[in-house]
Amino acid sequence: MLHIKNLHAGIEEKGILRGINLEVKAGEVHAIMGPNGSGKSTLSSVIAGKEEYEVTDGEIFLNGENIEELGPEERAHEGVFLSFQYPVEIPGVSVTNFVKTAINETRKAKGLEDMPASEMLKKIREKAELLEIDRRFLSRSLNEGFSGGEKKRNEIFQMAMLEPKLAILDETDSGLDIDALRIVANGVNKLRSKDNAVIVITHYQRLLDYIVPDFVHVLHNGKIVKSGTKELALELEEKGYDWIKQEATI
Amino acid sequence: MELKDKLLSSFMVFEDRVNHQSKNINEIRNTAIKNFQQKGFPTKKDEDWKYTSLNALLKHDYTISPQQESAIEFKDVKKYFIHDIDTYKIVFIDGKYSSFLSETTHDGIDVCLMSSALNKPKYKIIMDSYYNKAAKADHSLTSLNTAFASEGAYIHIPRNKVVEKPIQIVHFSTGNETSVMLQPRNLIVVDENSHVQIIERHQSLTSNVVLTNSVTEVFANKRAIVDYYKIQNDNQEASLIDNTFISQKQSSNVSVHTFSFGGKLIRNNLQFFQRGERIDSTMKGITIIGDKQHVDHNTLVHHIEPNCESHQDYKGIFGDRSTGVFNGKVVVEKEAQKTNAFQANNNILVDDKATINTKPQLEIFADDVKCSHGCTIGQLDKDALFYLRSRGIPEKEAKALLMYAFANNVLESVKINAIKTRINKLIAQKLGVNLGFDL
């Protein structure tokens, strides 16, 4: 599904990612962990196509296709979804209308007609129920005045609506209390299938108790310095990141 | 012949035609034309006109009083009305009243014509008390209008009336003359405890040159509520100088929303005078322009008495080589203690060649007041744009959504839903997007 080869990227001459190699196959869940400033959020932004970052070397393939030239919306149309750490407030545009627009723009890009209103409504109900979101919430302006937890839940709701092939959850656990974390994780798990993949980016192990990864990678100084299975996450939780840093310098 | 000279010589002919009107009105006209003669058109040397030049507009050979009657079918101009709600309508074509398109009334309220008010004795008491009393006497363009004023809307709402239907004042111009100058004059008097909503629009129906120099006086007496909406979405050759003067009495509440989406040059002179305590004055605007369009908001709130409020919020989005001006003056007199005055002007420049000049002016002579002002000029937020695009929304639509979100809070205070819907549609149209839902 996703194949990243020797990716170097940065912003305004400053290198942040220094040779990332990563392969994510359909059906897998990968966790990317690492200390602050290790390049976790940069990696997710670069995969999603944020134009402020410059890719200086390496390639990103999505389903065998090099996506370097694709804008963020085109990557979304190809099935990439990034759940933001800090979602943006859009006053005057309701959650429902925003999601409708996102879905129909993606359909338009694929040469499909707009989704029929009844189908849309049914889907909205179904996914809202999955994430324990009530109807009043859906008519509120997107992210405006939402609590941290509401914003994150709304991100996963959008993900559920858009049904991406590759979902990247950037620090989705931050700002969530334990109940919200459970609901969000439950939503993500219900959406998992053999055809899609999830990358969970997190600082802490907590979320991985709920969304259990197949692989865990540790990012440090813009490189993946260690990869393993879910046990690695537990080890990191116990020992912190220092030993990884030391190991990396040796 | 220069436009000024042409106007002055036309005045003599005009004066003969209207000299049967009351002595009072004739005196007002004579004083006004003298003032215009002395001052002439404003130039960039005038501080208030530093960023707006009328030079290009004044070069045309305008017809000053178009004679030919034009007929317009309602179906052809329906889209310029707020037509999905029941309203009174006062409609003019090239400055002449169109009874066919209008729906006026004398049933408990007067929603009719300035020409009647100027000529008929039954309006004399109101005219003597209010006409030209709020308009700035030393203001040359207002004087020019006063000298030639012969038609427009006359609205008088006696006390204790809530007018259920909004009143639309629509001025059409047609292609009968290659270039035409129009000078509509509106008077709106709202007596104690009454409530009225007004929608005003100027619309050219051809690509001929039009210059409108409009004057509107609004009087809100004790506890009156007036909500005024100006929709400015004219075509590329139409220019508008809108001079609106609002005089408020104790506990009255007046709001003016100005939506400026089109026209060659628009200048809004909007002035509020608070003549009583506990007055609330609101002026809000959304400006979205492109090409080489120019929109200038020149506002004044004069806080004369204590315990009053004013709220200003203007949002501007400027594309291409368009230019915007915001000049907002707030004067708080020494007696006007406990004044709350807020002013905000936020702008987005979409293109490098677009310009905005924004200047707040506060003159505060009282010591116990709350006054705040702030102006910002920025670009669209890149992170926000990335967020929307990452959800599959193309760049153009994503930008449109962000611009809409930026301007949105101005719409919150719009009390007529049909106007909100219409403005949303115009915004989507102006931004060139179809989002699949009405913004």
Side-chain angles (χ1 to χ4, degrees):
Chain A
M1 167 130 352
L2 178 75
H3 197 167
I4 298 176
K5 288 183 184 169
N6 189 32
L7 181 68
H8 287 72
I11 195 161
E12 290 164 1
E13 314 271 301
K14 189 178 155 234
I16 300 171
L17 303 181
R18 306 158 203 265
I20 301 268
N21 290 292
L22 180 67
E23 188 169 7
V24 179
K25 295 202 176 83
E28 293 177 349
V29 174
H30 288 240
I32 295 179
M33 303 182 72
N36 289 331
S38 57
K40 300 191 300 289
S41 284
T42 301
L43 179 61
S44 55
S45 293
V46 170
I47 297 171
K50 191 171 187 182
E51 287 166 351
E52 283 72 47
Y53 290 102
E54 198 194 340
V55 174
T56 49
D57 199 5
E59 288 147 323
I60 305 173
F61 293 93
L62 186 70
N63 297 320
E65 191 197 343
N66 188 330
I67 58 170
E68 191 183 342
E69 297 296 322
L70 301 185
E73 60 270 43
E74 292 164 310
R75 294 182 194 205
H77 301 156
E78 295 295 321
V80 175
F81 179 90
L82 170 61
S83 166
F84 277 55
Q85 198 175 349
Y86 303 108
V88 174
E89 299 189 4
I90 313 285
V93 178
S94 69
V95 174
T96 304
N97 277 335
F98 182 73
V99 165
K100 277 185 195 167
T101 305
I103 287 183
N104 285 330
E105 288 294 347
T106 299
R107 290 174 69 99
K108 202 194 281 175
K110 291 178 177 161
L112 299 171
E113 295 284 308
D114 281 0
M115 183 181 278
S118 59
E119 196 183 321
M120 182 77 78
L121 202 65
K122 190 169 159 254
K123 192 167 179 176
I124 289 173
R125 274 205 200 123
E126 196 184 295
K127 304 299 182 190
E129 203 174 312
L130 174 69
L131 290 153
E132 301 180 29
I133 286 172
D134 80 27
R135 200 173 296 174
R136 268 167 308 173
F137 181 84
L138 297 173
S139 57
R140 285 171 64 187
S141 287
L142 186 71
N143 293 321
E144 193 185 28
F146 285 16
S147 68
E150 285 173 327
K151 281 184 180 169
K152 294 297 167 68
R153 206 184 294 191
N154 179 41
E155 289 290 280
I156 303 304
F157 170 67
Q158 289 182 45
M159 173 186 143
M161 290 298 294
L162 289 163
E163 298 179 328
K165 288 190 192 124
L166 174 69
I168 306 164
L169 311 182
D170 187 7
E171 306 269 356
T172 297
D173 49 339
S174 70
L176 287 188
D177 61 34
I178 199 73
D179 291 330
L181 188 72
R182 188 184 46 75
I183 293 165
V184 162
N186 184 37
V188 173
N189 287 329
K190 288 246 172 74
L191 299 165
R192 285 175 63 178
S193 79
K194 62 177 177 27
D195 301 319
N196 59 32
V198 181
I199 297 176
V200 180
I201 289 175
T202 181
H203 192 80
Y204 303 104
Q205 192 268 340
R206 188 174 73 145
L207 180 63
L208 305 181
D209 285 340
Y210 298 91
I211 304 172
V212 181
D214 299 300
F215 300 97
V216 175
H217 310 279
V218 182
L219 201 61
H220 177 58
N221 266 338
K223 272 187 176 176
I224 290 176
V225 292
K226 200 170 183 67
S227 293
T229 53
K230 62 182 178 193
E231 285 73 26
L232 177 58
L234 292 167
E235 201 176 343
L236 285 167
E237 180 76 1
E238 199 183 314
K239 297 200 220 164
Y241 286 107
D242 285 349
W243 65 281
I244 294 277
K245 290 180 190 170
Q246 277 162 16
E247 216 169 84
T249 49
I250 298 164
Chain B
M1 200 182 342
E2 283 210 10
L3 184 57
K4 182 182 170 187
D5 298 327
K6 185 173 177 175
L7 285 160
L8 291 173
S9 59
S10 313
F11 181 74
M12 288 186 266
V13 182
F14 176 77
E15 204 183 10
D16 282 344
R17 218 176 74 214
V18 295
N19 72 355
H20 58 281
Q21 287 171 353
S22 80
K23 201 173 145 234
N24 185 17
I25 301 286
N26 284 336
E27 271 175 26
I28 289 173
R29 285 188 198 288
N30 281 315
T31 312
I33 197 74
K34 275 181 205 145
N35 184 52
F36 173 71
Q37 181 169 17
Q38 194 195 335
K39 293 215 169 69
F41 285 102
T43 68
K44 288 183 109 172
K45 285 180 193 149
D46 297 285
E47 187 61 30
D48 269 349
W49 290 83
K50 199 170 165 189
Y51 300 107
T52 298
S53 169
L54 296 177
N55 283 348
L57 295 185
L58 302 180
K59 281 185 194 137
H60 297 281
D61 186 21
Y62 292 103
T63 299
I64 290 166
S65 42
Q67 293 303 321
Q68 206 181 323
E69 300 281 329
S70 299
I72 300 176
E73 292 284 330
F74 179 67
K75 65 173 171 52
D76 296 328
V77 293
K78 188 181 167 193
K79 63 178 174 184
Y80 301 119
F81 292 92
I82 303 291
H83 53 73
D84 26 21
I85 50 170
D86 197 10
T87 59
Y88 294 112
K89 296 173 194 72
I90 316 174
V91 183
F92 305 92
I93 302 170
D94 293 331
K96 299 267 182 301
Y97 174 60
S98 164
S99 61
F100 177 65
L101 294 174
S102 299
E103 187 186 331
T104 57
T105 185
H106 292 290
D107 184 11
I109 58 175
D110 285 317
V111 176
C112 58
L113 302 178
M114 179 57 81
S115 54
S116 305
L118 286 165
N119 289 300
K120 292 186 183 165
K122 73 170 189 172
Y123 300 106
K124 194 173 182 301
I125 295 170
I126 295 290
M127 288 296 278
D128 285 350
S129 314
Y130 295 101
Y131 183 74
N132 209 42
K133 293 286 194 285
K136 270 260 174 78
D138 62 344
H139 191 281
S140 70
L141 289 165
T142 301
S143 294
L144 176 62
N145 176 289
T146 304
F148 284 94
S150 58
E151 192 55 290
Y154 172 88
I155 297 166
H156 177 218
I157 314 296
R159 57 195 297 181
N160 304 328
K161 295 260 180 201
V162 174
V163 183
E164 300 289 346
K165 300 199 286 185
I167 301 165
Q168 301 195 62
I169 306 170
V170 183
H171 297 270
F172 290 113
S173 52
T174 67
N176 282 336
E177 316 282 348
T178 47
S179 47
V180 61
M181 183 169 183
L182 300 171
Q183 305 214 61
R185 178 77 175 217
N186 307 313
L187 176 66
I188 295 146
V189 179
V190 186
D191 288 342
E192 287 176 27
N193 305 319
S194 289
H195 181 187
V196 69
Q197 298 175 310
I198 293 162
I199 304 158
E200 180 189 346
R201 183 160 189 166
H202 300 263
Q203 189 64 46
S204 164
L205 301 174
T206 65
S207 55
N208 289 8
V209 176
V210 188
L211 172 59
T212 302
N213 176 39
S214 165
V215 172
T216 301
E217 293 179 279
V218 178
F219 295 87
N221 285 309
K222 284 182 190 170
R223 295 175 299 279
I225 303 173
V226 182
D227 297 311
Y228 207 119
Y229 303 94
K230 292 172 184 278
I231 301 176
Q232 303 174 338
N233 188 32
D234 218 337
N235 69 36
Q236 279 294 18
E237 290 304 326
S239 295
L240 171 67
I241 300 161
D242 178 312
N243 308 283
T244 297
F245 303 92
I246 293 160
S247 178
Q248 290 185 250
K249 287 280 172 64
Q250 186 191 308
S251 303
S252 64
N253 184 324
V254 177
S255 71
V256 176
H257 288 75
T258 307
F259 301 104
S260 312
F261 301 146
K264 186 183 180 71
L265 179 149
I266 299 173
R267 162 74 173 225
N268 287 299
N269 293 315
L270 177 58
Q271 309 202 333
F272 279 78
F273 301 91
Q274 296 185 332
R275 299 191 167 98
E277 294 198 35
R278 293 182 300 284
I279 288 170
D280 202 311
S281 308
T282 299
M283 52 190 99
K284 295 194 176 190
I286 299 177
T287 302
I288 305 177
I289 53 171
D291 298 321
K292 286 183 175 174
Q293 293 172 324
H294 179 90
V295 171
D296 177 348
H297 290 288
N298 190 293
T299 68
L300 167 73
V301 190
H302 200 151
H303 288 275
I304 304 164
E305 306 235 11
N307 301 310
C308 295
E309 294 195 7
S310 68
H311 305 266
Q312 291 191 64
D313 189 357
Y314 282 84
K315 296 277 165 72
I317 297 171
F318 302 90
D320 304 320
R321 289 164 176 269
S322 63
T323 47
V325 183
F326 176 81
N327 197 330
K329 191 168 176 177
V330 177
V331 180
V332 182
E333 295 290 352
K334 202 174 165 192
E335 293 74 26
Q337 298 293 2
K338 305 277 179 198
T339 290
N340 279 334
F342 304 101
Q343 183 188 78
N345 173 235
N346 303 301
N347 303 285
I348 289 180
L349 298 179
V350 182
D351 292 292
D352 294 344
K353 298 217 163 83
T355 315
I356 169 81
N357 288 292
T358 171
K359 183 174 150 196
Q361 276 177 281
L362 271 64
E363 293 176 12
I364 302 167
F365 302 101
D367 49 20
D368 185 14
V369 299
K370 265 191 216 158
C371 293
S372 72
H373 69 90
C375 49
T376 60
I377 301 169
Q379 269 107 29
L380 288 175
D381 180 25
K382 284 185 176 144
D383 290 336
L385 199 56
F386 173 54
Y387 179 69
L388 299 192
R389 291 177 71 192
S390 82
R391 298 294 139 95
I393 299 171
E395 191 171 4
K396 186 178 174 192
E397 280 74 14
K399 281 184 174 169
L401 271 179
L402 289 181
M403 291 188 244
Y404 176 72
F406 164 77
N408 178 262
N409 67 329
V410 168
L411 289 172
E412 279 168 14
S413 46
V414 172
K415 291 179 198 153
I416 304 173
N417 273 332
I419 292 184
K420 242 183 227 184
T421 310
R422 173 61 62 91
I423 296 304
N424 281 336
K425 278 190 179 144
L426 288 174
I427 290 175
Q429 201 182 72
K430 190 73 202 172
L431 299 173
V433 294
N434 179 3
L435 298 163
F437 64 93
D438 290 334
L439 274 170

